[in-house]
Amino acid sequence: MTDNWVRRLNPKTKLLMIPVFGIATIVSPGMLLGLFLLLVVIVMAWQANIIKKFLQTMISFGIPIAVMLFIIQGLYSPQNHTYVANLGFAKLGLEGLMYGGKLLVTLLVFMGSFYLFNKTIYSGELAAALIKSSLSDKGGYLILASLNVVPQMKRQLQVIKEAQEARGVQTGGSLLTRIKVFIPLMGPVILSSLIDTQERGMALELRGFDLKNVSKTSYIQVVDTKLDKLFRIGMLLFLIIVTAFSIYLKVRR
Amino acid sequence: MKRQGRRVNSGSLISTKVLVLIPIAVGINLLGGTLCSTLKLPLFLDMIGTILVACLSGPWMAGLCGLLTNLFLSVVANPIYLPYAFVSFLCGVVTGYLVKMGLFKSKLGVVIIWLTCSLVNTIAASLITVYVYGGASGVNSTSLATIALLATTKKIFLSVMSTAMIENLLDKAIVFIIAYTIINKIPSHFLNQYSPNLRSDR
Amino acid sequence: MKVSSKDVISVNNFSFSYPQTKKPAISSMNFTVKEGEFFCIVGANGAGKSTLCDSLVGLIPQYFLGTTKGQVLVNGQETTKQTVAELSLEIGLVFQNPFNQLSYTTSTVAEELAYGLGNHGIPRSEMLDRVAAVAKKMRIESLLDRDPLTLSGGQIQRVAFGSTYILNPSILVLDECTTQLDPIGSEEIFTIIKQLNDEGVTVVMTDTETERLSMYADRILLLDNGLQMGVDKPQAIFAREDLEKLNISTPLNYQLTQELTKIGILDSPEFNQDIILEKIKEVENGYR
Ligand SMILES: Nc1ncnc2c1ncn2[C@@H]1O[C@H](COP(=O)(O)OP(=O)(O)OP(=O)(O)O)[C@@H](O)[C@H]1O
Ligand SMILES: [Mg+2]
């Protein structure tokens, strides 16, 4: 993992960015602010050295939605009154296009900041940050354990699959045969992982998971700099101002 | 000061025993969900774990499980799933309450849960598809069916909903069959540590 | 051997039944474990070994639902007087499946070891020292930066062992902690257990397989169907006639002494390596 200022930001700061940017985009009239925030996220992705992957994901996510929005909203929105083009089978409406555009920008801002957050934090760091911020360490547990459980279950599945193959059960083949094989495969994995939870809970209890009135510490150090705090306060102020200003514009109109 | 004897679980909001179920259930959901998205199936199969939690630890934990599942699906598979977290939450809570009413004890009850859950899912998901995504959340067979309906009926919500309903009935049928089978295979060893309302034979 | 006369565990007429079961999983248990002792619990599958272990560390009755009778004292205090977490600073538990002992919230072995310390609010500087010390003891120094989920079973068991031991308990309860490991993995664990015991840690260990236990145990508790069949020195336990009936295999070395006694080379079936060697030498000399 390369080191740069985006990565060094406290996970909480990057987490807060998601709702702040998203909500600001939604409440602001038009899509200008949204486009600006999208630009900010793109610049941060560039600074974090993940720009290529970032753009790939955004494009593969954005284009299908843009196409669908163009058809559904542009051609069939009941709000359409001003038509900009006639495609023969349907007419392209300005209102639907604007609505679709705003929606697209909002989605991209949400997804973009979410992607940025996701790719520039180290998961242990998030838990440590959450524990520090007294935001329930149980929440931290749920997030991290869920993320860690999947690879382990996939491995179990693989083991069973190999065993089945060794016994001559067909696991390749057409889609339907694959599904038919897969569903009975999942049963034992689900059952055994469920039963395992009993011991996992015991282990957590033994290791002091449920201790109260203790200020917990962490092996991983999370830096929460002055800059981070400044960023977070700044973002909240920004959101308040945008919201107030948007309401003011709405009321005046 | 004299230390009072106390039980570990009594003070906490969520007991550890219940808490550890959730990541596993989320994992089960993700396994089904990613399976469908990699095989490009028009299904989700991402509710098996939620149903199990609904049976073992009640509606709110099931809701939480649904919520987390979508959160992670959007991380590992496709960010499109994020807004539907609300739908999964709702389905978990509804299933949990119906299980609490004792409906999971009989096959007929399970059918009722299945239908209710499909309906709730359809309505909530359609609302999200229409209001968040403006009608379709990507190019797939479901969205194409929506457009075809839209071209003939010219009603966005109705079109989205009818395609979602068919998809949901099928998806939830598979999911409930799997969950019902599993629940009936869980050893009583494990079940007696929870307070489920599941089997009619006791 | 430095077994003191102090009782660190005393189990007084203790019984436990799981919910919705008629028969108690363990009933009327009565025994004590001395400080520094290597105490083993032997019984067939389902005999109640795990139930007993869970009772010693307070998981029964605090984590498991069910009904109890009698009491378990650890270092003179009833287990119900403290939470399981507080108790784990005095008595640690390692169980069979190492995968289930991981926290699933860490991405390196070092973090995993430190997890329990963090929950107890131990300052980070002390945490680092203790992680280093325990890693050395468990011979996992080279694994500290690895992701726990990528390790082999034997390695994970040592990590799990370490994350229990890092809380500095003076008593360790080991519930079939080597059963799922390959011979090399389980040998490594046994070496560590033995070393800890030599350093004064009290060890309570269960197994279905008696071969190795018989070599280390100071005393053995024989368990069958939830009932305590006896607590005694290994020599006495393995000389019992009813072992086969209880589905417990006699360790090879005891089989040997028993056979030697039958043919009159040994006077009593008590296993003592020195005596056996001596007698065999005598016989050897006799043949010459
Ligand atoms: N949660 C539970 N509910 C009901 N009965 C249980 C539960 N856990 C264990 N038992 C029963 O209690 C008895 C003792 O089980 P326990 O697991 O303590 O045995 P064990 O000696 O550890 O066996 P093994 O060698 O298989 O680990 C068994 O009859 C078992 O079926
Ligand atoms: Mg056991």
Side-chain angles (χ1 to χ4, degrees):
Chain A
M1 209 186 253
T2 53
D3 193 40
N4 53 63
W5 69 271
V6 179
R7 285 208 197 276
R8 273 196 304 273
L9 281 178
N10 187 288
K12 273 191 294 178
T13 312
K14 285 178 275 194
L15 186 63
L16 186 66
M17 231 176 85
I18 305 170
V20 166
F21 279 24
I23 295 172
T25 308
I26 294 176
V27 296
S28 66
M31 48 179 131
L32 265 180
L33 186 69
L35 284 173
F36 171 72
L37 292 175
L38 191 59
L39 192 69
V40 173
V41 177
I42 291 173
V43 169
M44 284 178 77
W46 169 57
Q47 290 282 305
N49 283 327
I50 52 166
I51 187 71
K52 211 170 141 217
K53 271 263 173 156
F54 178 85
L55 289 180
Q56 268 172 10
T57 313
M58 284 294 105
I59 287 170
S60 67
F61 167 73
I63 287 188
I65 292 197
V67 171
M68 296 316 271
L69 282 172
F70 179 81
I71 301 176
I72 294 178
Q73 294 298 332
L75 301 180
Y76 295 108
S77 171
Q79 258 89 50
N80 284 345
H81 298 296
T82 332
Y83 293 101
V84 290
N86 193 338
L87 304 183
F89 61 94
K91 285 185 290 184
L92 194 58
L94 186 65
E95 289 81 2
L97 275 185
M98 294 300 288
Y99 176 77
K102 172 79 185 271
L103 212 56
L104 184 65
V105 172
T106 311
L107 287 171
L108 287 177
V109 168
F110 260 116
M111 300 309 169
S113 44
F114 184 63
Y115 184 86
L116 187 75
F117 166 77
N118 186 21
K119 295 293 168 192
T120 59
I121 60 154
Y122 164 56
S123 62
E125 212 179 57
L126 177 65
L130 291 178
I131 290 169
K132 275 255 168 66
S133 71
S134 75
L135 195 153
S136 162
D137 50 324
K138 299 211 161 164
Y141 171 78
L142 285 181
I143 293 173
L144 292 173
S146 306
L147 281 177
N148 280 324
V149 143
V150 179
Q152 205 216 341
M153 287 174 77
K154 280 198 172 144
R155 257 200 304 277
Q156 272 182 357
L157 211 61
Q158 193 60 35
V159 170
I160 296 181
K161 198 172 145 194
E162 275 160 16
Q164 300 270 49
E165 271 166 2
R167 290 210 324 256
V169 180
Q170 193 73 33
T171 52
S174 79
L175 193 77
L176 200 68
T177 51
R178 259 183 295 165
I179 297 172
K180 267 199 214 138
V181 173
F182 211 80
I183 288 182
L185 264 182
M186 276 176 72
V189 174
I190 293 177
L191 209 56
S192 73
S193 1
L194 210 56
I195 288 165
D196 278 347
T197 60
Q198 191 156 63
E199 281 194 344
R200 290 192 187 175
M202 289 158 63
L204 286 179
E205 289 278 351
L206 289 166
R207 295 170 77 185
F209 176 69
D210 213 18
L211 273 176
K212 279 164 232 55
N213 317 320
V214 175
S215 78
K216 300 195 172 178
T217 50
S218 171
Y219 186 85
I220 295 176
Q221 271 179 313
V222 201
V223 276
D224 199 14
T225 58
K226 281 222 173 67
L227 192 68
D228 272 302
K229 292 198 181 89
L230 207 68
F231 267 145
R232 289 204 293 272
I233 294 172
M235 279 196 285
L236 289 176
L237 276 179
F238 168 75
L239 185 61
I240 293 170
I241 293 170
V242 169
T243 314
F245 194 64
S246 312
I247 293 173
Y248 169 72
L249 283 183
K250 269 239 168 81
V251 171
R252 211 186 53 172
R253 222 179 322 140
Chain B
M1 202 174 73
K2 193 168 168 280
R3 204 176 354 215
Q4 288 292 309
R6 59 194 148 111
R7 303 200 119 216
V8 172
N9 295 339
S10 59
S12 44
L13 204 60
I14 308 173
S15 80
T16 308
K17 214 185 281 178
V18 166
L19 198 75
V20 287
L21 278 181
I22 295 177
I24 294 291
V26 170
I28 294 169
N29 287 348
L30 291 182
L31 222 52
T34 44
L35 181 75
C36 290
S37 90
T38 43
L39 294 181
K40 299 232 178 315
L41 302 179
L43 298 172
F44 311 107
L45 303 187
D46 59 357
M47 220 193 128
I48 302 172
T50 308
I51 300 172
L52 297 178
V53 170
C55 292
L56 292 171
S57 21
W60 297 104
M61 289 302 111
L64 179 61
C65 178
L67 195 81
L68 282 172
T69 301
N70 275 65
L71 196 67
F72 290 119
L73 268 179
S74 57
V75 177
V76 297
N78 193 332
I80 283 178
Y81 288 105
L82 194 58
Y84 294 101
F86 170 70
V87 181
S88 302
F89 171 78
L90 207 61
C91 282
V93 173
V94 167
T95 309
Y97 271 108
L98 295 177
V99 171
K100 225 177 175 178
M101 286 164 58
L103 286 179
F104 217 83
K105 283 180 185 166
S106 65
K107 288 211 168 91
L108 180 69
V110 177
V111 170
I112 296 173
I113 305 183
W114 163 56
L115 291 173
T116 316
C117 192
S118 303
L119 191 69
V120 169
N121 193 321
T122 305
I123 296 173
S126 304
L127 285 172
I128 301 264
T129 306
V130 169
Y131 287 104
V132 175
Y133 291 104
S137 51
V139 181
N140 52 38
S141 47
T142 320
S143 305
L144 294 179
T146 307
I147 292 185
L149 270 174
L150 188 56
T152 46
T153 62
K154 309 253 187 286
K155 293 205 174 59
I156 292 185
F157 192 76
L158 190 73
S159 312
V160 169
M161 223 179 101
S162 8
T163 31
M165 190 73 208
I166 296 168
E167 189 182 53
N168 255 302
L169 280 172
L170 180 64
D171 180 60
K172 297 290 174 283
I174 299 178
V175 161
F176 272 96
I177 289 171
I178 297 179
Y180 186 78
T181 320
I182 291 174
I183 285 284
N184 282 294
K185 279 200 179 137
I186 298 179
S188 55
H189 258 195
F190 180 80
L191 281 184
N192 69 20
Q193 293 297 316
Y194 295 84
S195 42
N197 203 357
L198 297 174
R199 291 180 184 167
S200 45
D201 53 358
R202 242 185 256 118
Chain C
M1 195 132 315
K2 47 217 158 309
V3 180
S4 86
S5 60
K6 189 177 145 209
D7 288 344
V8 286
I9 298 175
S10 36
V11 178
N12 303 327
N13 211 11
F14 187 81
S15 307
F16 180 77
S17 324
Y18 289 100
Q20 296 153 18
T21 53
K22 290 183 201 84
K23 196 175 73 64
I26 48 174
S27 50
S28 314
M29 307 304 285
N30 261 308
F31 62 92
T32 58
V33 179
K34 307 252 179 270
E35 188 175 42
E37 197 171 14
F38 202 119
F39 188 90
C40 293
I41 300 168
V42 171
N45 284 327
K49 302 182 295 295
S50 301
T51 307
L52 187 51
C53 289
D54 295 345
S55 308
L56 298 182
V57 300
L59 285 168
I60 288 175
Q62 299 195 48
Y63 182 79
F64 282 94
L65 304 175
T67 45
T68 55
K69 256 195 270 162
Q71 47 173 206
V72 176
L73 306 181
V74 171
N75 290 328
Q77 201 179 22
E78 230 182 299
T79 51
T80 47
K81 292 279 189 285
Q82 298 179 67
T83 62
V84 172
E86 287 161 339
L87 209 55
S88 69
L89 301 175
E90 297 174 33
I91 182 166
L93 173 66
V94 180
F95 31 83
Q96 189 172 356
N97 183 349
F99 282 95
N100 288 345
Q101 292 165 85
L102 298 177
S103 68
Y104 287 88
T105 59
T106 61
S107 26
T108 64
V109 168
E111 284 170 59
E112 186 64 39
L113 288 174
Y115 180 78
L117 297 177
N119 284 336
H120 282 276
I122 306 292
R124 187 162 180 278
S125 54
E126 189 185 337
M127 206 182 248
L128 297 182
D129 292 343
R130 279 165 80 169
V131 166
V134 165
K136 186 146 177 266
K137 199 152 254 170
M138 300 295 150
R139 298 160 202 196
I140 46 177
E141 291 127 303
S142 60
L143 308 175
L144 280 177
D145 290 325
R146 291 270 300 275
D147 178 350
L149 289 172
T150 63
L151 303 178
S152 73
Q155 289 170 326
I156 298 188
Q157 188 59 294
R158 273 180 287 157
V159 172
F161 206 121
S163 41
T164 298
Y165 185 65
I166 204 166
L167 296 173
N168 258 336
S170 57
I171 311 167
L172 278 173
V173 181
L174 312 164
D175 188 6
E176 297 192 47
C177 70
T178 61
T179 321
Q180 285 197 353
L181 307 180
D182 55 42
I184 297 172
S186 82
E187 186 61 50
E188 283 166 345
I189 294 279
F190 259 101
T191 317
I192 294 169
I193 298 170
K194 191 67 195 119
Q195 184 194 339
L196 292 179
N197 182 241
D198 287 343
E199 289 169 12
V201 175
T202 310
V203 173
V204 176
M205 190 168 186
T206 82
D207 220 316
T208 39
E209 190 264 342
T210 52
E211 208 64 54
R212 220 176 330 217
L213 289 193
S214 68
M215 300 198 276
Y216 294 129
D218 292 320
R219 279 188 307 151
I220 293 180
L221 185 156
L222 193 57
L223 204 58
D224 180 57
N225 223 342
L227 295 173
Q228 176 178 333
M229 307 300 289
V231 188
D232 215 328
K233 295 217 153 54
Q235 293 89 327
I237 292 286
F238 292 120
R240 289 173 67 125
E241 311 270 285
D242 57 352
L243 281 189
E244 208 169 330
K245 215 174 66 210
L246 304 181
N247 264 328
I248 291 164
S249 60
T250 311
L252 266 180
N253 42 5
Y254 285 93
Q255 280 179 24
L256 181 70
T257 52
Q258 278 158 21
E259 291 304 320
L260 290 176
T261 320
K262 264 187 210 157
I263 57 173
I265 292 177
L266 288 179
D267 308 325
S268 79
E270 296 234 329
F271 178 78
N272 183 324
Q273 202 169 323
D274 298 334
I275 295 180
I276 293 179
L277 277 176
E278 203 176 292
K279 291 279 179 188
I280 290 179
K281 278 213 181 95
E282 268 173 34
V283 174
E284 209 176 15
N285 290 337
Y287 274 120
R288 286 231 181 96

